[in-house]
Amino acid sequence: MTNPTIKFSRKDPQKFFRTLNKRVNNYFSENNIKKTGNWKLHLKTIVMFSLFLSPYFLILFLDISDWWKLLFTVLMGAGMAGVGMNVMHDGNHGTYSRKKWVNKFMGSSIYILAGNVYNWQVQHNVLHHTYTNIHGHDEDIDAGGIIRFSKHAKWKRFHKFQHIYSVFLYGLLTFNWALTSDFKQTKRYLKRQLSYGKMPSQWKQWSMLAVTKILYISIWIVIPIMIGIVWWKVLIGFFVMHYTAGLILSVIFQLAHMVENNEMPMPNEVGEMKNTWAIHQLFTTTNFATNNKIMNWFSGGLNHQVEHHIFPNISHVHYDKISKIVKETAKEFNLPYNEYESTREAVKSHFRHLRMLGSEPQLS
């Protein structure tokens, strides 16, 4: 991946983003609402952490059958995904609270989810949110050649089957965080001098990574073994927890960008994009199941991805309200507002998209 040298167009003759931003700001000021999280997010935080951590302690201290323990690891995986999407995500975007230390604390929950704050903020806040769906810059569409997410990526013969095998690989997302991804990303990002905010020293980042990984392994593997659970049962439970979380997170992430409606534009020969940054987000991002209360609640608003990408500085608890403003403004300016009515339709579109990209290049 090359260094980001892309420049987005500054030509917005209709002043779309200026108009939209004014209307959204007016909504918050007129209703005397803060853009950060509220009691709904705080309550959800308690629920998600309970779902994630309560089964862990039940497994450690209750004399229950292995089948119950296996079920609890599945619940832990769902809770792990819930904490990531609702708490960690808002925290690391600085939208959980107006207080920086609260955002930092909530964002640091990623350490018990297997990740790393520095790596996540660079990959997500910098590369993904800035260069959405741009091959060679947005690492969220780079699967190391195993899955072809972009028509600009090199095609390999086995990609013909990616719409079948991809779903099995999706569950390995957070498992890779725990074992390999963070070390590779730290090395790569430090070398390229990438950061979200102040650049950390190499010593500080590597030290933080080492310490948090040791603590992570201690919590999820060493302690259960010391308590008396057979090591191979611990490893199975660890894998099931991660696979559950990885599958949930991967599928929800893919439905926002890897679907048929979205474009994957590339810069011209001098590194310039056709559209402004905000309009680029409309062409590369899709909402799904926004009328589904369960999905809205559990996904941390990630099904309102259009709103999240244009306003990453606003907590997800407000997306349902401002979505009406975004949709109406996009229509007024004759711009796309991509959305699927249901999760099912978005999932079908995603796998049709994978199947198309898996065909031979001249057919895709």
Side-chain angles (χ1 to χ4, degrees):
M1 178 173 174
T2 57
N3 289 321
T5 55
I6 292 176
K7 294 181 180 180
F8 288 93
S9 173
R10 294 186 177 182
K11 298 178 181 178
D12 185 5
Q14 297 177 307
K15 309 301 180 186
F16 162 72
F17 184 65
R18 182 181 299 176
T19 302
L20 175 61
N21 194 47
K22 182 178 180 180
R23 291 173 179 176
V24 169
N25 285 334
N26 286 341
Y27 163 78
F28 284 98
S29 61
E30 290 171 3
N31 291 280
N32 195 26
I33 301 173
K34 300 181 180 64
K35 293 182 179 180
T36 50
N38 53 26
W39 68 268
K40 295 180 180 179
L41 179 54
H42 304 157
L43 177 60
K44 198 191 303 191
T45 300
I46 296 173
V47 173
M48 292 302 177
F49 270 110
S50 297
L51 182 61
F52 180 35
L53 297 177
S54 295
Y56 172 75
F57 292 106
L58 292 176
I59 290 172
L60 290 185
F61 300 113
L62 287 187
D63 184 17
I64 53 179
S65 71
D66 290 340
W67 288 111
W68 273 110
K69 291 178 180 178
L70 187 63
L71 176 61
F72 283 162
T73 60
V74 174
L75 292 177
M76 288 162 62
M80 179 179 175
V83 171
M85 293 184 292
N86 292 274
V87 183
M88 181 277 290
H89 189 255
D90 270 35
N92 280 318
H93 270 293
T95 61
Y96 189 96
S97 170
R98 288 184 299 166
K99 298 178 180 179
K100 289 184 178 181
W101 74 266
V102 175
N103 287 320
K104 187 174 182 179
F105 180 75
M106 292 303 176
S108 294
S109 63
I110 194 173
Y111 293 122
I112 61 170
L113 304 179
N116 178 268
V117 169
Y118 167 71
N119 291 332
W120 190 90
Q121 287 183 334
V122 171
Q123 179 180 342
H124 186 78
N125 292 1
V126 178
L127 300 178
H128 174 62
H129 270 271
T130 307
Y131 308 104
T132 311
N133 276 21
I134 301 178
H135 174 67
H137 295 274
D138 181 0
E139 288 193 356
D140 280 15
I141 63 172
D142 180 5
I146 299 175
I147 302 175
R148 188 177 187 236
F149 282 137
S150 169
K151 64 182 180 180
H152 305 290
K154 183 179 180 180
W155 178 83
K156 299 177 183 178
R157 190 174 298 274
F158 58 79
H159 288 146
K160 290 182 179 181
F161 308 102
Q162 67 176 13
H163 61 289
I164 299 173
Y165 66 73
S166 58
V167 68
F168 299 102
L169 297 179
Y170 285 167
L172 302 178
L173 173 67
T174 59
F175 196 73
N176 287 335
W177 283 3
L179 298 181
T180 61
S181 297
D182 276 327
F183 297 97
K184 293 178 180 178
Q185 286 183 327
T186 287
K187 181 179 180 180
R188 184 164 67 249
Y189 296 159
L190 289 176
K191 182 178 181 180
R192 295 176 55 199
Q193 291 290 296
L194 294 177
S195 68
Y196 181 69
K198 184 179 179 180
M199 187 73 196
S201 69
Q202 293 201 19
W203 181 88
K204 181 179 179 180
Q205 170 56 18
W206 281 114
S207 298
M208 177 65 74
L209 184 60
V211 170
T212 53
K213 289 299 181 183
I214 291 172
L215 288 174
Y216 182 80
I217 296 299
S218 298
I219 292 171
W220 298 107
I221 295 180
V222 176
I223 291 177
I225 293 175
M226 291 178 65
I227 290 291
I229 302 176
V230 181
W231 67 269
W232 59 268
K233 292 182 180 180
V234 172
L235 294 183
I236 290 175
F238 181 76
F239 179 80
V240 171
M241 176 185 73
H242 271 283
Y243 198 87
T244 302
L247 189 60
I248 293 171
L249 291 170
S250 292
V251 170
I252 288 178
F253 291 166
Q254 303 305 343
L255 302 188
H257 299 288
M258 297 296 109
V259 288
E260 295 165 301
N261 285 347
N262 291 347
E263 293 186 6
M264 293 192 175
M266 292 293 286
N268 61 22
E269 60 277 4
V270 293
E272 295 179 346
M273 299 299 296
K274 176 182 178 182
N275 295 309
T276 62
W277 173 84
I279 293 176
H280 174 85
Q281 303 306 317
L282 292 176
F283 280 97
T284 58
T285 309
T286 293
N287 286 354
F288 65 93
T290 55
N291 292 321
N292 187 318
K293 292 183 179 180
I294 296 176
M295 180 59 73
N296 282 339
W297 184 83
F298 180 69
S299 72
L302 293 182
N303 59 328
H304 279 280
Q305 196 75 186
V306 173
E307 287 69 38
H308 175 57
H309 266 255
I310 297 179
F311 295 104
N313 62 323
I314 296 176
S315 173
H316 75 267
V317 296
H318 305 295
Y319 292 161
D320 185 50
K321 297 296 183 182
I322 69 171
S323 65
K324 299 177 178 63
I325 302 173
V326 178
K327 186 174 184 177
E328 291 172 359
T329 307
K331 182 178 180 181
E332 178 183 328
F333 283 83
N334 197 30
L335 291 169
Y337 184 88
N338 300 324
E339 59 181 337
Y340 290 98
E341 291 187 3
S342 67
T343 303
R344 180 181 178 183
E345 288 303 313
V347 168
K348 289 165 63 177
S349 178
H350 170 63
F351 285 102
R352 284 196 300 265
H353 185 60
L354 283 186
R355 186 170 186 173
M356 182 272 290
L357 289 173
S359 339
E360 294 186 33
Q362 61 267 30
L363 302 177
S364 59

